[in-house]
Amino acid sequence: MSICDPAELRTLFLFEKLDDDQLAWLCADGRIEYLDPGPVYREGDPATCFYVLMDGEVRLTKLSAGREIEMVHTGHRGSYAGAWTAYLGERAETHYASSLYVTRPSRFFVLDAQIFARMMHDWFPMAVHLLEGAFFGNRNTNARIAQRERLLALGSLSAGLTHELNNPAAAAVRATSGLRDRVAGMRHKLAMMAQGKFDTAVLETLVRLQEEAAAQVAKAPELSPLEAADREDVLGDWLDDHGIRDGWDIAPNFVQAGFDTDWLERVSATLEGCPPQVVEGAFRWLNYTIETELLMNEIADSTTRISTLVGAAKQYSQMDRAPFQVVDLHELLDSTLVMLSRKIGDTIEVVKDYDRALPAVPCYAAELNQVWTNLIDNAVYSMAGRGTLTVRTRHEDDCAVVEIADTGPGIPEDAQGRIFEPFFTTKPVGEGTGLGLDISFRIVVHKHGGDIRVESRPGDTCFTVWLPLTRPGPDESSVSAVAGT
């Protein structure tokens, strides 16, 4: 350290308007430090000092996806860094927001953070009030609008989920009602059989055919609409030719179960010599069996769909799970796609290009789902209902990388540099708050130590997110700091 000269301080642009008493006060409470090349402080360390460069050269860096990115490299006298927000008190960030390095022997004027804060309050009280109002007012505004945006997104997702749940639930109700009617019909046919209209050998064969019909439904082949229509014509003609009334009504069920005229011939041969009404009753009994199996399959498919949607909703919301955990990113992406499936619609093709070898990622899972929601929602909006949405994952260095791309018209070049700014939006007035990408940026960069970037041209817009694969567990101070940014 060396003696501080008030006259030299006045040559720095920060202090050129101060009077002699103020400069003397600075020299009395501050100090001159000589630093050799190397780190001065690290991003995330407690912010204890305010540094002003007097001679030398420095570089300022920030962490991005676990790597240091150079933000400033300068030898300009008067450049400052460190605890320059100390005058805002404990409510603001109390850790260094970046890392400072000396690149050649340098000389600094240094003030302790508390002394710098006291100086600002004593000398510039009105300026401090204005700065506090701007800082905290902007933060509160961001928080309020961000909360509103989250609620709007939640409402949209809830509406979509309700719609998705309603379809399989309604299908299950319809199938249950139909199943009740078919079971009642089977009871009627059993009563007819109990009256002795079938001899024992025929009855045993019919029961065997019934079991065969039930088993066949589970392995019925998938038919195109044209193939199904052709087979229904053939089976309908066969049933009519053999005196089965309304054969065209039951032919679709036999086709859906995968049966053909050869099987119908086997049933007919088993019933040879029986009265026509008994033959028809036997075919209808087998039809009830097939319909019952088909309806039970429909109920099983519907309830499985409901269970899948509920599971996706729980995965999306991370219900009953720790905020910070190690998760498979693909589960998060899939649950988000399910939640947004109604908004995506049927006219947008979704392409998943997943690197299944990607390791699990330590993260705040529910907040990452908010990032995927914002990016996918913006992509779908830009395509106006038609295009291709691509969700890709890969491993790069020590990061998991997620790419979300769309084939929309792209982001104007003059807007790409501002796309992550709060309240900036390319959507028409009333259709966007301009906070979705700002929130995403803060979640990825500040809370996960990652990075998010965009590349865009007409027909190809891609947002890329880097997430470190190795990171310490949640730190309470960093969490509170992020909440205040």
Side-chain angles (χ1 to χ4, degrees), residues 159-169 305-306 309 338 341-342:
L161 181 61
T162 302
H163 177 82
E164 292 291 331
L165 286 170
N166 181 66
N167 289 338
R305 174 64 176 162
I306 292 172
L309 287 167
V338 170
S341 59
R342 181 167 177 257

Side-chain angles (χ1 to χ4, degrees), residues 119-320:
M119 178 202 78
M120 290 291 292
H121 282 273
D122 289 347
W123 295 355
F124 312 110
M126 182 176 178
V128 168
H129 286 310
L130 292 173
L131 290 168
E132 284 181 341
F135 182 85
F136 295 114
N138 186 56
R139 188 173 72 177
N140 292 339
T141 299
N142 285 353
R144 284 177 173 271
I145 296 182
Q147 184 180 31
R148 180 178 180 274
E149 180 152 302
R150 290 190 185 98
L151 290 173
L152 289 174
L154 179 61
S156 176
L157 290 173
S158 298
L161 181 61
T162 302
H163 177 82
E164 292 291 331
L165 286 170
N166 181 66
N167 289 338
V173 170
R174 288 194 303 269
T176 301
S177 177
L179 182 61
R180 183 177 288 109
D181 293 340
R182 301 313 181 272
V183 171
M186 291 186 71
R187 288 199 301 267
H188 175 73
K189 298 305 177 187
L190 284 172
M192 184 181 72
M193 292 177 180
Q195 295 171 3
K197 295 183 179 180
F198 296 95
D199 61 37
T200 302
V202 171
L203 187 57
E204 288 179 351
T205 302
L206 279 175
V207 171
R208 179 176 53 79
L209 288 171
Q210 182 187 36
E211 294 296 330
E212 183 181 324
Q216 175 62 28
V217 171
K219 54 185 179 183
E222 289 285 339
L223 299 176
S224 68
L226 186 59
E227 289 174 325
D230 290 341
R231 293 195 182 191
E232 288 172 14
D233 289 343
V234 174
L235 265 62
D237 289 339
W238 189 97
L239 292 168
D240 278 352
D241 292 344
H242 288 74
I244 309 299
R245 290 176 301 126
D246 302 322
W248 291 96
D249 290 336
I250 63 176
N253 292 329
F254 286 117
V255 170
Q256 192 173 351
F259 293 116
D260 53 21
T261 54
D262 291 340
W263 188 80
L264 297 183
E265 290 288 357
R266 285 173 53 203
V267 176
S268 180
T270 302
L271 299 171
E272 188 173 357
C274 294
Q277 65 271 25
V278 173
V279 174
E280 182 173 347
F283 272 100
R284 294 198 178 280
W285 184 48
L286 291 173
N287 177 60
Y288 285 139
T289 300
I290 293 170
E291 280 192 304
T292 299
E293 290 296 320
L294 292 173
L295 289 169
M296 285 194 294
N297 285 348
E298 187 175 345
I299 292 171
D301 290 342
S302 298
T303 53
T304 299
R305 174 64 176 162
I306 292 172
S307 178
T308 300
L309 287 167
V310 171
K314 289 184 68 176
Q315 172 69 25
Y316 179 83
S317 65
Q318 294 295 298
M319 189 185 304
D320 303 327

Side-chain angles (χ1 to χ4, degrees), residues 18-176:
L18 300 183
D19 59 33
D20 293 341
D21 290 339
Q22 290 171 325
L23 291 171
W25 187 92
L26 284 177
C27 279
D29 284 354
R31 60 187 181 273
I32 303 296
E33 289 190 7
Y34 290 88
L35 298 177
D36 293 325
V40 179
Y41 58 76
R42 301 282 188 181
E43 181 176 347
D45 291 345
T48 59
C49 294
F50 174 70
Y51 293 87
V52 181
L53 180 65
M54 301 186 73
D55 293 298
E57 186 178 70
V58 296
R59 55 190 294 263
L60 209 63
T61 69
K62 283 190 69 68
L63 288 172
S64 175
R67 293 173 292 183
E68 285 191 307
I69 306 298
E70 184 174 278
M71 309 300 292
V72 177
H73 194 146
T74 182
H76 182 64
R77 296 183 72 250
S79 298
Y80 59 91
W84 62 273
T85 59
Y87 58 85
L88 294 174
E90 294 295 327
R91 292 179 295 168
E93 175 64 84
T94 57
H95 293 75
Y96 291 120
S98 57
S99 298
L100 181 66
Y101 294 89
V102 169
T103 57
R104 57 183 172 85
S106 301
R107 188 164 59 105
F108 293 87
F109 174 72
V110 183
L111 276 177
D112 289 340
Q114 292 180 344
I115 295 175
F116 174 67
R118 181 157 53 90
M119 178 202 78
M120 290 291 292
H121 282 273
D122 289 347
W123 295 355
F124 312 110
M126 182 176 178
V128 168
H129 286 310
L130 292 173
L131 290 168
E132 284 181 341
F135 182 85
F136 295 114
N138 186 56
R139 188 173 72 177
N140 292 339
T141 299
N142 285 353
R144 284 177 173 271
I145 296 182
Q147 184 180 31
R148 180 178 180 274
E149 180 152 302
R150 290 190 185 98
L151 290 173
L152 289 174
L154 179 61
S156 176
L157 290 173
S158 298
L161 181 61
T162 302
H163 177 82
E164 292 291 331
L165 286 170
N166 181 66
N167 289 338
V173 170
R174 288 194 303 269
T176 301

